[in-house]
Amino acid sequence: MKANVGGFDKIGRIAIGIALIGLAANGNIGAWGFLGVVPVLTGFSSYCPLYSIFKINTCPLKTEKIK
């Protein structure tokens, strides 16, 4: 897998995901808020399957690979 998530995209995914999980844990929003796990995982792994499908790459290093 090539890294295709980088920079501000990565930070944004992690922040939004943690916010959604926190809101769901506090009961402020429904259980769907636990879907915030997805952006957190894609942020930490630097890989987004949807980006691969649509050939989007926000990672500045084109040769970086994740093992």
Side-chain angles (χ1 to χ4, degrees):
M1 294 186 306
K2 283 187 176 182
N4 60 6
V5 176
F8 292 114
D9 190 9
K10 181 185 263 192
I11 294 168
R13 287 171 183 262
I14 294 169
I16 289 170
I18 290 173
L20 284 172
I21 293 167
L23 289 170
N26 287 331
N28 294 335
I29 58 175
W32 66 268
F34 288 110
L35 288 175
V37 170
V38 174
V40 169
L41 291 177
T42 59
F44 280 122
S45 70
S46 297
Y47 177 75
C48 178
L50 285 177
Y51 274 17
S52 293
I53 292 170
F54 294 110
K55 300 193 186 314
I56 299 171
N57 187 352
T58 61
C59 185
L61 300 176
K62 303 290 183 192
T63 58
E64 183 178 342
K65 288 190 178 183
I66 299 173
K67 294 182 180 182

